[in-house]
Amino acid sequence: MAPDTPARVTVRCGRRTATGEHRNGNTVLQIARILGLNPPSSCEMGNCATCIARVTEGSAVMRVNDALTEDEVAEGWVLTCQAVPTTPLLRVDYDD
């Protein structure tokens, strides 16, 4: 994905789902907050896994991951405080 191309991100958190555009520099957690959702979070440094969510469409890369195992990442789990989209469409689910 080109750096200037915004990704379309859909976030499901609680009983709400919201969609918006990712802008460079924002993490999935920040996008969820911008969209008016209240996702779980704590350290925001990639250490605690409080902000864990599953990628259900597309893909994302984590800047830092000191909490998830390789198996969890392979199953689609990301730390949203560190995750940024790597595909034009990204869907994450905090409730999965």
Side-chain angles (χ1 to χ4, degrees):
M1 187 168 83
D4 295 336
T5 304
R8 191 110 178 112
V9 179
T10 300
V11 180
R12 181 174 172 245
C13 182
R15 296 182 176 160
R16 296 185 56 209
T17 300
T19 301
E21 285 190 354
H22 168 264
R23 296 289 179 195
N24 284 339
N26 285 344
T27 64
V28 172
L29 177 63
Q30 291 168 326
I31 296 166
R33 289 177 177 160
I34 290 168
L35 294 172
L37 301 174
N38 189 22
S41 66
S42 184
C43 77
E44 297 190 32
M45 297 174 63
N47 297 325
C48 71
T50 301
C51 65
I52 190 172
R54 186 185 299 264
V55 172
T56 59
E57 182 179 349
S59 66
V61 64
M62 291 178 282
R63 297 172 181 157
V64 174
N65 173 21
D66 292 331
L68 302 180
T69 66
E70 289 180 21
D71 288 342
E72 289 169 322
V73 173
E75 292 172 2
W77 294 101
V78 293
L79 304 173
T80 60
C81 71
Q82 297 297 313
V84 293
T86 56
T87 53
L89 296 172
L90 177 66
R91 180 181 286 281
V92 298
D93 190 338
Y94 281 93
D95 305 319
D96 194 14

